[in-house]
Amino acid sequence: MKPGRGLRIAEQIQRDLAELIRREVRDPRVGLVTISGVEVTPDYAHAKVYFTVIGADAAQALAGLNAAAGHLHNLLFRRLQIHTVPRLSFVHDRSVERGFEIDRLIERAVGARSGVDGGAEGGGEVDAAPDGVATPSAGRD
């Protein structure tokens, strides 16, 4: 097996599935799905397909995608020029949701901190002294 071949196959499966889901899957549970990544086992027998969904419940989209997995596998078999097309296993990718949650937490922490500081002039700045020790700049001219 050539180095990087598995990665190239995973990327091709990702591109093809994005198009096939948009064109071929008519299940209303699926909604607007984005394929965020594909991991293929070294023997190409199985592929984990990570997806995000907008405008639909993730559990419903997962059920719809799993119901269409066999059909999508057959369509991939016609497109890909490889001997073994992996069986598809869909997994909801929560990284985008976690990113939004982290953003909300950061904004809440910054808002709480700015409320505590009370907008004190120069209170948040730090100057480095010549000896390398950081000292607060409050009260300096």
Side-chain angles (χ1 to χ4, degrees), residues 1 5 21 28 76 89 93 102 104 115 119 136:
M1 176 168 57
R5 182 170 188 251
I21 289 170
L76 278 175
S89 171
D93 183 0
I102 289 172
R104 280 192 296 272

Side-chain angles (χ1 to χ4, degrees), residues 99-139:
F100 285 136
E101 181 62 26
I102 289 172
D103 284 344
R104 280 192 296 272
L105 292 172
I106 290 171
E107 285 183 18
R108 190 174 353 159
V110 167
R113 182 175 180 166
S114 65
V116 169
D117 287 346
E121 228 172 81
E125 296 178 19
V126 175
D127 291 338
D131 60 353
V133 178
T135 58
S137 64

Side-chain angles (χ1 to χ4, degrees), residues 35-47:
I35 304 300
S36 57
V38 175
E39 292 178 358
V40 180
T41 58
D43 62 355
Y44 306 118
H46 301 282

Side-chain angles (χ1 to χ4, degrees), residues 21-114:
I21 289 170
R22 185 176 48 84
R23 285 186 177 180
E24 302 289 334
V25 176
R26 304 275 187 250
D27 193 330
R29 298 176 291 180
V30 173
L32 182 59
V33 169
T34 301
I35 304 300
S36 57
V38 175
E39 292 178 358
V40 180
T41 58
D43 62 355
Y44 306 118
H46 301 282
K48 278 188 182 179
V49 181
Y50 295 92
F51 72 94
T52 59
V53 63
I54 298 173
D57 179 50
Q60 292 293 322
L62 178 61
L65 288 169
N66 282 329
H71 180 61
L72 292 169
H73 179 266
N74 289 335
L75 294 172
L76 278 175
F77 185 77
R78 293 180 195 157
R79 285 181 168 218
L80 297 175
Q81 302 295 319
I82 58 175
H83 180 64
T84 303
V85 175
R87 292 286 169 197
L88 305 174
S89 171
F90 290 93
V91 178
H92 180 236
D93 183 0
R94 294 185 33 98
S95 62
V96 173
E97 294 169 12
R98 280 183 281 199
F100 285 136
E101 181 62 26
I102 289 172
D103 284 344
R104 280 192 296 272
L105 292 172
I106 290 171
E107 285 183 18
R108 190 174 353 159
V110 167
R113 182 175 180 166
S114 65

